[in-house]
Structures are given as structure tokens and as C-alpha cells.
Amino acid sequence: MSMHRKTFTLTEQQDNWVKGQVESGQFATDSEYIRDLIRRDQQVMERLATLRQALAQGESSGKPKPLDISAIKAAGRKRMKAAV
């Protein structure tokens, strides 16, 4: 994987925060910390896209039906008994 150099301007508070994360020993360098933040943001965005897709599928799946809580509980109990 090729690396690209970027320059960021941080406030003093932000810079102190990044330094603190490195000094805590969780990250070896500022760059490692920033890359970790980007990876986490990418994961959050992927999960959000998956959720949005599921919501859209749910909305387009047709008219909702009332829930039968008793049937749901019975099915859950049946699964629990089968798992034992």
C-alpha cells in the first residue's frame, strides 16, 4: 500500500489531545493515531450505509403487519428448548 503525505493544521487543544494519545502508549506516532481515526470513521460509515439500506428495504417491503407478541415469544421459547 502506498503512503501519501498530508499536512493538517490543529488547534493547540487538538494537538495536545493527539500527543496525549501517543504518550499513553496506544499509538506509536501521530500518524498512526490519525490513520486509526480514519479506519474507525470508515467502519462507522459502512455500518451506517448498511443500516440505511436495511431501512430502505424495510420501507419498500410492503404494508406493515401487527406484531403477535405471543407468537414471537412462543417461537423464542421453542428455539431455546431446541438449543438445549
Side-chain angles (χ1 to χ4, degrees), residues 1-72:
M1 177 186 314
S2 66
M3 301 294 256
H4 299 273
R5 180 172 294 276
K6 301 284 182 189
T7 302
F8 296 95
T9 303
L10 304 174
T11 65
E12 186 175 346
Q13 180 188 22
Q14 291 168 333
D15 187 51
N16 289 335
W17 177 263
V18 172
K19 286 177 183 176
Q21 298 306 303
V22 173
E23 290 169 2
S24 74
Q26 294 182 19
F27 303 94
T29 64
D30 294 3
S31 293
E32 185 180 311
Y33 177 62
I34 299 300
R35 286 190 301 269
D36 184 65
L37 290 175
I38 292 169
R39 277 190 296 275
R40 287 192 226 178
D41 187 51
Q42 288 171 323
Q43 291 170 348
V44 167
M45 292 301 180
E46 288 171 7
R47 287 193 300 263
L48 185 58
T50 301
L51 178 59
R52 285 182 174 148
Q53 182 181 14
L55 288 170
Q57 288 174 345
E59 288 176 345
S60 65
S61 68
K63 190 173 181 175
K65 300 173 187 172
L67 289 177
D68 182 351
I69 298 299
S70 297
I72 293 171

